[in-house]
Structures are given as structure tokens and as C-alpha cells.
Amino acid sequence: MRLLGGLRPWVIQRLSALFVLGCFAVLAACLAIGPPLSFAAWRAWMSEPGAKVAAFLLFSSLFLHAWIGLRDVLLDYVQPLPLRALLFVAIALGLVSLEGWVVVILAGVH
């Protein structure tokens, strides 16, 4: 079944919100059980492959959620098409740059 109109972005945004909420709940539980108490402990925790994948998925979901929300705001409130296109490009470049930064940070943790 193909989702029509604005239903697909709505569903994606809700699912990404649930994923981010779940990630934060798991993170809060992990920190409540045994928080890393030093920078070295944090670094060791984040150097595990599972933690890197989880962090990458968390930030990817967060950026996707932000893109859909900002896209909807621009579609609703920015009427001049050239300005809207410019803002779309600026936001997309910003979010892709942030995702690249996350990858660089996660690749550097070892």
C-alpha cells in the first residue's frame, strides 16, 4: 500500500520520534544503572561497535525528524518559491553536514 500525500512524512516523523524516545529511555536506563564516571570510561563505552551503530541510528533518526518538521514549516509559512528553495537547500546541507560530523566523530572513537 502506498501512503498518499502528507501521510508518509507524518508516519515517518512519528516513527522517528518513537525511535528517538526509545533510544533516550535506553540511554537513561544505562546511565542510571552504571554511568561512566570518567572520560576514558565514556570513550571505552562509545568505542564498542554496538554503541557506535546505536549513536549513528539515533542521530540519523533525529536529523530525519528535524528535516520533516522543518520542511513542513517551510511549506506552510514561506510562500516565495525562490526563498523556500534556498532555505530547503540550506537546511539540507546543514543536516547532511551534521550527519557527516557524527560519522567523523564516531569513526574517530577507538
Side-chain angles (χ1 to χ4, degrees), residues 1-90:
M1 178 176 106
R2 182 181 161 117
L3 297 175
L4 301 175
L7 184 58
R8 179 182 294 164
W10 185 87
V11 169
I12 292 170
Q13 191 171 40
R14 282 6 178 226
L15 291 175
S16 66
L18 289 174
F19 182 78
V20 169
L21 179 64
C23 286
F24 281 126
V26 169
L27 178 64
C30 289
L31 293 177
I33 291 170
L37 299 176
S38 67
F39 178 74
W42 274 99
R43 191 173 181 99
W45 187 41
M46 285 307 299
S47 67
E48 297 175 18
K52 287 183 180 185
V53 169
F56 176 75
L57 292 175
L58 169 66
F59 281 103
S60 296
S61 295
L62 189 63
F63 296 147
L64 178 63
H65 184 86
W67 168 255
I68 293 171
L70 291 168
R71 182 191 71 91
D72 288 349
V73 168
L74 291 179
L75 287 173
D76 288 345
Y77 295 109
V78 178
Q79 298 307 316
L81 192 56
L83 177 59
R84 186 188 306 167
L86 178 68
L87 291 173
F88 276 151
V89 169

